[in-house]
Amino acid sequence: MSESTFRDPAGGGSLGAVGESRGHVLDVLRSAAGPVGVREIAERTGLHANTVRFHLDTLVGDGLAERESEALGRPGRPRAVYRATATRTGADRRSYQLLAHMLTGLAAESLEQPARAAATTGEAWGRYLADTPSPARRLTAEEAIGRLTRVLDEAGFAPGPVEEGEPDAAVVPLRHCPFLEIAREHRDIVCSLHLGLMRGALKEVRAPLRVDRLEPFVGPSLCLAHLTPSDDLPLDGAA
């Protein structure tokens, strides 16, 4: 499957066009009376929902917007909503990036098998974040992928439309890495953490699919998660 099959939002036009679109998203947040969701922003800007998510992730990372869960007062996973920040600067982002770099470096130096430990931790969090079906419910592959992409979306990966891969397989494009700078320096740890996250989410929903491998950086901000019919896998399987 060629890289051109998947469109990278960061590379789909001139930098000026990307900046203008992101400005429109920020304008919507700043003019809203309260937190708004992706669908509302897409309707008001005319942008595709995946493009809106990409810009929102960048705005959150830059300290210009905040992501929170909407309190609905009813069962089910609350949707993510966004609001503009009035006073935050990039200092908060730099502080978290510094902390993440320090902790990742500590794991790389101190753990005997840091990638395996990261995958195990990611799997535990994937199970925690997944929307678990009832014991009697058996999800189809499509339903399981839907629950996986919801977890990935809320974690900031901006998953794109699922593409068919090999027979009985699928590919989920991850259009935005929330830890891009750290992943470039410690790819084995960060990618294994993300791989474990996806595997844990699919295991929690008893999916008929597994994440066979994660193919990182096929584009500037694009990774591919390859899914195949489920069976047991070792934890450390990042490509």
Side-chain angles (χ1 to χ4, degrees):
M1 185 171 299
S2 67
E3 175 184 333
S4 60
T5 303
F6 302 101
R7 293 293 301 277
D8 182 353
S14 68
L15 291 176
V18 171
E20 183 178 353
S21 296
R22 191 166 300 152
H24 290 328
V25 172
L26 184 57
D27 287 342
V28 171
L29 295 180
R30 286 176 172 169
S31 63
V36 291
V38 171
R39 181 177 298 177
E40 295 96 320
I41 298 172
E43 291 175 350
R44 293 179 61 179
T45 59
L47 299 172
H48 190 278
N50 285 336
T51 302
V52 170
R53 291 187 184 96
F54 173 77
H55 290 315
L56 286 169
D57 289 336
T58 302
L59 292 171
V60 170
D62 289 341
L64 298 173
E66 293 178 331
R67 181 189 296 110
E68 59 191 60
S69 296
E70 185 179 43
L72 298 178
R74 62 174 182 263
R77 181 180 294 275
R79 65 170 183 161
V81 291
Y82 300 81
R83 67 169 74 239
T85 56
T87 58
R88 287 183 60 188
T89 67
D92 294 329
R93 181 189 180 207
R94 288 194 298 271
S95 297
Y96 279 110
Q97 279 192 341
L98 176 60
L99 176 62
H101 276 289
M102 293 169 66
L103 293 177
T104 307
L106 177 64
E109 295 174 2
S110 304
L111 298 177
E112 184 175 347
Q113 294 182 309
R116 178 174 288 271
T120 301
T121 299
E123 182 171 328
W125 277 97
R127 287 181 175 274
Y128 172 74
L129 294 172
D131 187 6
T132 310
S134 66
R137 179 91 182 273
R138 291 295 179 266
L139 301 182
T140 65
E142 183 178 359
E143 290 172 330
I145 291 174
R147 298 204 182 197
L148 172 63
T149 56
R150 188 182 308 166
V151 170
L152 294 171
D153 184 29
E154 293 178 354
F157 289 92
V162 177
E163 296 285 340
E164 293 185 2
E166 300 298 325
D168 299 321
V171 179
V172 180
L174 309 178
R175 300 171 182 265
H176 177 257
C177 177
F179 305 102
L180 180 62
E181 295 82 6
I182 303 165
R184 285 173 174 161
E185 184 176 346
H186 296 286
R187 179 182 298 190
D188 57 337
I189 295 178
V190 176
C191 292
S192 293
L193 185 71
H194 295 165
L195 179 66
L197 179 78
M198 291 184 285
R199 287 182 175 170
L202 288 180
K203 286 183 179 180
E204 183 65 21
V205 303
R206 303 185 299 278
L209 296 168
R210 61 174 183 170
V211 183
D212 177 68
R213 62 191 175 94
L214 175 62
E215 187 178 2
F217 302 132
V218 299
S221 61
L222 177 66
C223 302
L224 302 178
H226 295 263
L227 278 58
T228 59
S230 61
D231 55 26
D232 292 332
L233 276 177
L235 285 175
D236 49 348

